[in-house]
Amino acid sequence: MVDMSTDSGTASSPAPKHVPVMLQRCVDALAPAISAPGAVVVDATLGLGGHSEALLTQFPEVRLVAVDRDPAALKLSAERLAPFGDRATLVHAVYDEIPEVLADLGIPKVQGILFDLGVSSMQLDEAERGFAYAQDAPLDMRMDQTRGLSAAEVLNTYSHGDLARILKVYGEERFAGKIASVIVRERAKEPFSNSARLVELVRNAIPAATRRTGGNPAKRTFQALRIEVNGELEVLDRAIPGALDSLAVGGRIVVMSYQSLEDRLVKQYFAAGATNTAPPGLPVIPEEHQPWLKLLTRGAELATEGEIEENRRAAPVRLRVAERIRDRSTRG
């Protein structure tokens, strides 16, 4: 974990402005928890810094701690958030490291946490990162390009069984076995390096009738590879409990998920915290069995037409909000 202050190491060109997904709804959801002086809010997925900038602007006394695993995103956001001085602390870390980041900063609890999961706008828009199947580019897909296996290395080294597993589980791909077979066959002729070849192979592996609906047939394969390369679900499985433990009583957490696997995990953790765990039939519920989370959204909320018009990437978003209503120190 490396702390990147907002007044050093800035980018050579201005950070591009973009409309963050469901911006005002996220700000409004956090507002009751972070309006008081001394409040700390964590942006767990800094990206280009749009949500962070809005939080710092609309709440002049809030302190921001923002993390991102992508050094390029941190560099751009450092310039964008530089006007806020020491109110903003940017840290190179993955969001499952939030408890350690806060401990290093001497912050015991925070009042707000925001997760905007998935790939950032910058990562999608920069072809050389290899996230977008619509452009031919090197098959990288690492959110932090300084570590880990690239998507090309996964394609070229994983067994047929492992490839089929990640395509089925992470991509929810019906034809996972068939696509894995094609990948193994074709990599023996020439290792994979660029996205266009993979897109074409996936398209040809899927029956024509299936290709007519559901958008680009490579979408699910690219999602699966990205999740595998970045360990996204494993990280999220650690990150949500860690974030919830970092919330002060009265603090709020907002999570935006872009696919069902992420949303299912978030839903499970939120539901567990909002559930009475006492044996049935007790006349009085002991405190340690009472819910410690309150769900502030009924199920997962979707973007409005207006929010999708502002940013088309809001279309698949599922948003959940919860509030911590008591301490868990007495739970059995």
Side-chain angles (χ1 to χ4, degrees), residues 210-233:
T210 303
R211 295 201 302 264
R212 295 191 190 106
T213 59
N216 193 311
K219 178 180 180 180
R220 292 178 295 276
T221 295
F222 272 63
Q223 173 180 298
L225 286 169
R226 192 199 80 216
I227 290 173
E228 174 68 13
V229 165
N230 296 290
E232 290 178 41
L233 291 178

Side-chain angles (χ1 to χ4, degrees), residues 82-331:
F84 300 100
D86 59 8
R87 289 179 57 210
T89 302
L90 277 54
V91 183
H92 181 211
V94 187
Y95 47 66
D96 63 339
E97 299 175 294
I98 285 171
E100 291 80 9
V101 170
L102 295 175
D104 288 347
L105 295 172
I107 301 172
K109 296 289 182 182
V110 300
Q111 286 64 47
I113 302 178
L114 171 66
F115 284 86
D116 183 8
L117 300 173
V119 188
S120 75
S121 297
M122 182 193 72
Q123 291 163 341
L124 281 171
D125 293 340
E126 291 186 353
E128 64 270 17
R129 302 296 293 270
F131 287 101
Y133 44 80
Q135 305 173 78
D136 188 26
L139 281 163
D140 193 315
M141 298 194 196
R142 290 173 296 170
M143 293 179 182
D144 181 350
Q145 292 183 302
T146 67
R147 65 185 75 178
L149 293 176
S150 69
E153 290 171 304
V154 169
L155 289 167
N156 293 326
T157 63
Y158 275 31
S159 68
H160 177 277
D162 284 339
L163 287 170
R165 172 185 56 80
I166 66 171
L167 292 173
K168 182 177 181 180
V169 176
Y170 296 160
E172 300 179 287
E173 173 58 71
R174 291 166 52 199
F175 303 100
K178 188 173 183 181
I179 293 170
S181 295
V182 170
I183 290 170
V184 170
R185 184 187 72 223
E186 293 301 318
R187 77 188 185 191
K189 301 175 184 176
E190 181 184 351
F192 285 91
S193 60
N194 276 48
S195 58
R197 179 181 174 215
L198 177 62
V199 170
E200 186 64 21
L201 289 174
V202 171
R203 185 187 302 275
N204 292 336
I206 291 175
T210 303
R211 295 201 302 264
R212 295 191 190 106
T213 59
N216 193 311
K219 178 180 180 180
R220 292 178 295 276
T221 295
F222 272 63
Q223 173 180 298
L225 286 169
R226 192 199 80 216
I227 290 173
E228 174 68 13
V229 165
N230 296 290
E232 290 178 41
L233 291 178
E234 292 91 342
V235 170
L236 186 62
D237 199 18
R238 296 188 295 268
I240 297 300
L244 291 171
D245 283 342
S246 300
L247 271 185
V249 174
R252 291 187 171 193
I253 181 170
V254 176
V255 183
M256 288 184 287
S257 305
Y258 290 75
Q259 37 97 351
S260 59
L261 299 173
E262 294 172 338
D263 183 58
R264 196 176 305 142
L265 253 180
V266 176
K267 176 184 177 181
Q268 289 169 353
Y269 278 114
F270 280 18
T275 299
N276 169 2
T277 60
L282 290 182
V284 178
I285 306 301
E287 184 181 355
E288 64 266 25
H289 291 293
Q290 292 177 7
W292 53 276
L293 278 183
K294 179 182 179 182
L295 305 183
L296 301 180
T297 47
R298 181 175 293 182
E301 293 185 355
L302 305 179
T304 64
E305 289 183 10
E307 287 167 333
I308 295 171
E309 284 179 10
E310 285 185 330
N311 186 336
R312 61 183 176 80
R313 288 170 183 159
V317 170
R318 300 169 176 90
L319 179 140
R320 295 181 187 270
V321 185
E323 179 178 329
R324 185 160 189 166
I325 56 176
R326 70 174 185 86
D327 189 73
R328 283 201 291 170
S329 59
T330 57
R331 277 177 77 85

